[in-house]
Amino acid sequence: MTQRIAVLGATGSIGDSTLSILAEHPQLYQVYALSGHGRLDKLLTLCQQFQPVRVAVPSEKVDEFATRLQQAGLNCDVVGGQAGLDDIAADPEVDTVVAAIVGAAGLSSTLTAARAGKRILLANKEALVMAGSLMMQAVKDNGATLLPLDSEHNAIFQCLPNEVQQNNTAIHDAGHGVKKLWLTASGGPFLHKSLQQMQAASVSEAVKHPNWSMGKKISVDSATMMNKGLELIEACHLFDLAESDIQVVIHPQSIIHSMVEYTDGSFLAQLGSPDMRTPIAHALAYPQRIATSVESLDLFQLAALEFVKPDLEKFACLKLARQAMQTGQSATIALNAANEVAVEAFIKQQVFLTDIALINARVLDKMLGGDAILASQHTTGIAQNDTGLSQGINPNFSLNIKQLDDILNIDKIARSFAEQVIQECRS
Ligand code: NAD
Ligand code: MG
């Protein structure tokens, strides 16, 4: 039987890798729907190549894009905006939704896919950072299947016992002997650079990842290690563990994609070339395997595998993510929102790379009442000891998060706080 696939975020880096696997196996997969936000020329080319039945674009582009499709002789249903993405995610014809939109923009369609009981291949980690409990509950209640594409989470999934993978038993069952997860990180382009060098980094230096080729936002997140922070929170929800059960280790070669430590002393690891097509192929075919043209790992070429403890002063975002996870959902929503705004400001050259951690910490402070750490470094002039708590949201607010609107409300407040902090630091 052919699996009908909707690739949401088809014009991005994960979209590229996914479509290249789908193109290699046309007898197994039908590209039923695609979505794109910015690069609509590219989306048109993808429509010509894959002939999807449905396509989603921003609302204001629906008519124009429909005309372009018609001119290209394509018969394709065009839908717009968030409602259009949600409609595709719940389409009864769709078997599998690849959630590859970047940031909070991907949350609604991912949650909709879970509520519609789909098989979800999750790249959009921000959906779990913002709405982990809601997502996991929706998956459970509606018989959906959630398979991680993030290479670390996919690696951990592969190293877990079968019964846990299939959701037949809990990861905590003593018989499984799972002791700890080891989340590997490359350390990004500034691993061997000083904080001063990091502060002076240009956008092109920050997005130049040593091992992976990815979208801009996640590349900046890798440079600050916020990406690992988001992944830590993602792992807590996916695998139902506390943040203290997950150890982050820097492994600069990006050959081991993560590990599971067992109580008998065993470490199970998944290794491979740093190429997203491997976890994508794994999740598409699971529980079977399909071939890919990913370059095979040449073990004889590997000089050494290194492991280093992360420096939490330099990579303060990672420390913030642990604190946010301990504090509760309002904190993880606020952190994610602040970070999206701060990364955007860095890309627009309004703040330094090292300011991102400070902006994130300030927003957490403002929202939650002053308990978030403030990073030790001081760069563009963001005050370190101003807790500005008056309008703060009580962390217990997490208890009242019942629906998507509650989440989006906190997200909105955190974004405006972040804008405010950025204005303060620029003036
Ligand atoms: P990207 O920037 O290359 O692509 C993002 C996609 O999202 C594009 O198709 C874009 O059109 C779409 N998009 C952006 N804003 C949107 C909006 N407001 N509404 C609807 N669609 C929108 O990003 P990427 O690197 O492919 O990453 C996508 C997701 O996968 C992120 O959450 C990232 O953290 C995660 N991820 C990426 C990688 C990787 O190797 N690239 C690895 C692991 C996880
Ligand atoms: Mg990852």
Side-chain angles (χ1 to χ4, degrees):
M1 265 246 311
T2 320
Q3 245 189 83
R4 279 159 306 188
I5 319 275
V7 185
L8 303 184
T11 52
S13 161
I14 292 288
D16 283 343
S17 302
T18 304
L19 289 168
S20 92
I21 300 284
L22 298 180
E24 282 188 67
H25 298 279
Q27 70 291 0
L28 295 177
Y29 308 108
Q30 182 202 346
V31 178
Y32 179 83
L34 297 174
S35 91
H37 191 71
R39 301 155 73 190
L40 296 189
D41 290 341
K42 178 170 178 181
L43 187 63
L44 185 67
T45 308
L46 294 176
C47 288
Q48 286 168 316
Q49 186 183 351
F50 292 98
Q51 315 249 327
V53 177
R54 307 190 71 188
V55 63
V57 294
S59 310
E60 66 280 9
K61 300 283 182 189
V62 170
D63 292 343
E64 182 192 327
F65 199 72
T67 309
R68 291 179 73 184
L69 284 169
Q70 243 173 9
Q71 285 164 349
L74 295 173
N75 179 18
C76 181
D77 173 37
V78 188
V79 292
Q82 201 59 71
L85 290 167
D86 290 351
D87 199 54
I88 288 178
D91 187 324
E93 296 293 316
V94 169
D95 301 308
T96 298
V97 173
V98 179
I101 291 174
V102 61
L107 172 57
S108 175
S109 50
T110 309
L111 192 57
T112 304
R115 288 180 174 150
K118 302 295 185 194
R119 180 178 172 104
I120 303 167
L121 272 48
L122 183 76
N124 178 238
K125 60 194 83 181
E126 295 90 347
L128 282 183
V129 172
M130 296 174 74
S133 322
L134 208 61
M135 273 284 303
M136 298 312 287
Q137 196 60 46
V139 166
K140 205 168 153 195
D141 292 348
N142 297 285
T145 304
L146 188 59
L147 293 162
L149 293 190
D150 216 340
S151 57
E152 297 77 3
H153 306 75
N154 183 273
I156 289 166
F157 181 87
Q158 293 196 47
C159 297
L160 286 172
N162 264 332
E163 287 94 357
V164 178
Q165 287 185 4
Q166 311 268 351
N167 258 331
N168 293 335
T169 56
I171 194 167
H172 313 276
D173 282 6
H176 293 316
V178 174
K179 185 174 175 188
K180 199 188 250 190
L181 305 185
W182 289 79
L183 200 59
T184 56
S186 69
F190 302 104
L191 177 60
H192 301 297
K193 303 262 162 73
S194 69
L195 197 58
Q196 285 70 25
Q197 286 170 308
M198 200 169 153
Q199 184 187 339
S202 66
V203 175
S204 59
E205 282 167 337
V207 300
K208 210 162 128 212
H209 197 277
N211 308 328
W212 298 93
S213 149
M214 310 180 287
K216 240 181 184 173
K217 192 254 177 186
I218 184 178
S219 299
V220 175
D221 284 347
S222 299
T224 59
M225 284 194 76
M226 185 71 236
N227 183 48
K228 213 46 57 182
L230 298 176
E231 289 185 356
L232 176 85
I233 300 168
E234 179 187 12
C236 292
H237 291 295
L238 269 177
F239 304 117
D240 191 21
L241 293 171
E243 57 81 27
S244 52
D245 294 327
I246 304 169
Q247 178 75 48
V248 173
V249 55
I250 293 178
H251 163 49
Q253 291 77 21
S254 299
I255 294 298
I256 292 181
H257 298 307
S258 279
M259 296 172 267
V260 178
E261 181 181 352
Y262 286 87
T263 46
D264 63 4
S266 300
F267 277 65
L268 297 194
Q270 187 257 356
L271 286 71
S273 299
D275 187 324
M276 287 306 292
R277 288 177 298 170
T278 295
I280 292 168
H282 168 267
L284 274 170
Y286 181 82
Q288 296 185 323
R289 300 260 177 185
I290 50 172
T292 69
S293 42
V294 170
E295 199 179 328
S296 176
L297 199 56
D298 185 349
L299 290 174
F300 298 113
Q301 285 293 317
L302 292 177
L305 298 180
E306 296 168 274
F307 302 96
V308 185
K309 237 185 186 167
D311 173 349
L312 294 183
E313 294 306 314
K314 189 158 131 190
F315 298 114
C317 284
L318 184 53
K319 196 161 154 188
L320 281 177
R322 278 206 188 273
Q323 292 205 322
M325 190 63 212
Q326 285 164 6
T327 307
Q329 194 181 355
S330 46
T332 61
I333 299 167
L335 178 61
N336 180 67
N339 184 61
E340 283 193 29
V341 175
V343 168
E344 196 58 45
F346 169 67
I347 290 171
K348 290 187 190 146
Q349 302 181 18
Q350 296 172 343
V351 299
F352 291 128
L353 182 66
T354 41
D355 286 337
I356 294 174
L358 291 166
I359 295 163
N360 292 346
R362 281 290 303 280
V363 172
L364 281 181
D365 270 0
K366 277 178 177 266
M367 299 277 290
L368 301 171
D371 236 8
I373 58 149
L374 288 168
S376 57
Q377 67 271 39
H378 184 204
T379 53
T380 31
I382 299 173
Q384 291 184 57
N385 54 1
D386 172 7
T387 46
L389 306 176
S390 52
Q391 307 159 68
I393 290 175
N394 189 306
N396 290 331
F397 194 76
S398 294
L399 299 175
N400 296 325
I401 298 173
K402 299 215 163 51
Q403 51 190 10
L404 186 57
D405 280 350
D406 302 330
I407 293 168
L408 297 179
N409 189 29
I410 299 177
D411 174 85
K412 198 169 148 200
I413 299 170
R415 280 171 199 270
S416 73
F417 274 144
E419 301 284 1
Q420 223 173 296
V421 174
I422 291 166
Q423 282 312 318
E424 281 164 24
C425 89
R426 295 184 72 205
S427 58

